Amino acid sequence: MCTAFVSIEPGAAVPVLLLSVRDEYLGRGWLPPDHHWPDRPGLLGGLDLAAGGTWLAVDPARRTAACLLNGFGPLAPADARLSRGELPLTAVRQGGIGHLDLTPYDPFHLVQVSPDGARVTSWGGGRLEQHELPTGLSVVVNDGLEGTAANRTASERIRTLMAARADHFRARFAAAPRPEPTADGTAAGAWGAWLPIITGDGLALDEDAALIQRRDFGDGRIWGSSSISLLALGPELLRYDFATAPVPADGSGWQQVVA
């Protein structure tokens, strides 16, 4: 149940903000953001140790980023399946993924951001959808942009959890002053009133609306939020803050990722 919030205000000093929470089985190994790909030395992102790709890639030189959320729908053929973790890296380096044959990939939603705006590319069931995001605050979940993808979960429980999260945090972010991060200073200074909301808003990890969560679905493994990424993109700015989830209540645990 990964979630991405995107705030677009074209007239602001920092027009585009991205909050990305990665949810995964917690036994899956990963490394924090760094230059993990020698063949693409300029790119930053966390490294998924299982498949070698990433859930969020950043190209500081182009001030672009792309984050990946799993989708729902028919899976790719097992004998031809490729890792979706390559898609964010391709998107930031090549400006998108529209040139790719997507049939070897399981369903996904890819959020691409730059100082000029954002778009979501969704793939599932042999169908490609692309949406430019409007001014204001948008949310992308595993059911797609605003939960309206052509292929959505059949689980009423999962649908309820995604809707509770989206509704609670959309209202909380909208009610707080929109951040205008600068390149310098702490995460608290950069993200202001949004930071306590981002780090959980006081909700227990197992509440339906929890953004930072832990879930035991009864299969012997624990599903939960493993990391939080914050990006601010402006004409002369790309700020990238990262924390392992859950973040301590005192707000420590954030690191600014520097190119």
Side-chain angles (χ1 to χ4, degrees):
M1 290 178 288
C2 298
T3 305
F5 284 91
V6 183
S7 173
I8 300 177
E9 295 295 342
V14 186
V16 178
L17 306 176
L18 170 66
L19 157 64
S20 174
V21 177
R22 185 194 188 211
D23 295 337
E24 183 57 84
Y25 282 111
L26 298 183
R28 184 166 181 144
W30 58 277
L31 295 176
D34 206 336
H35 297 281
H36 291 296
W37 301 275
D39 59 331
R40 288 161 286 195
L43 303 190
L44 283 165
L47 178 64
D48 174 33
L49 294 175
T54 188
W55 58 95
L56 188 150
V58 178
D59 186 339
R62 295 178 172 86
R63 294 196 304 282
T64 62
C67 72
L68 182 76
L69 296 81
N70 293 346
F72 296 103
L75 301 180
D79 60 351
R81 184 174 295 138
L82 298 176
S83 170
R84 290 168 291 190
E86 284 292 313
L87 295 172
L89 297 165
T90 298
V92 296
R93 176 51 58 89
Q94 300 186 27
I97 57 171
H99 61 291
L100 298 178
D101 173 13
L102 297 176
T103 56
Y105 297 97
D106 288 343
F108 66 83
H109 309 288
L110 186 74
V111 182
Q112 296 173 246
V113 293
S114 73
D116 298 325
R119 70 176 181 269
V120 177
T121 301
S122 297
W123 169 256
R127 179 175 176 179
L128 180 68
E129 303 175 49
Q130 295 196 54
H131 301 278
E132 298 293 327
L133 298 192
T135 296
L137 187 65
S138 298
V139 60
V140 184
V141 293
N142 298 109
D143 269 351
L145 175 61
E146 307 295 351
T148 61
N151 289 281
R152 296 187 290 276
T153 180
S155 167
E156 185 64 33
R157 177 60 174 154
I158 299 300
R159 191 178 302 116
T160 297
L161 292 174
M162 288 190 293
R165 176 189 281 197
D167 291 346
H168 176 91
F169 285 92
R170 184 198 305 278
R172 294 288 288 123
F173 290 133
R178 184 180 187 270
E180 290 195 352
T182 61
D184 302 319
T186 65
W191 295 95
W194 276 26
L195 200 65
I197 303 172
I198 291 164
T199 54
D201 204 30
L203 298 179
L205 297 176
D206 59 354
E207 288 193 44
D208 280 6
L211 181 64
I212 309 305
Q213 60 175 303
R214 291 290 184 272
R215 309 281 177 193
D216 184 349
F217 291 115
D219 62 356
R221 297 179 292 171
I222 302 299
W223 180 274
S225 306
S226 58
S227 65
I228 311 170
S229 299
L230 299 173
L231 285 103
L233 300 100
E236 303 297 331
L237 172 74
L238 190 153
R239 179 175 178 127
Y240 181 7
D241 290 286
F242 179 85
T244 299
V247 181
D250 63 5
S252 63
W254 289 98
Q255 61 167 313
Q256 185 176 356
V257 183
V258 179

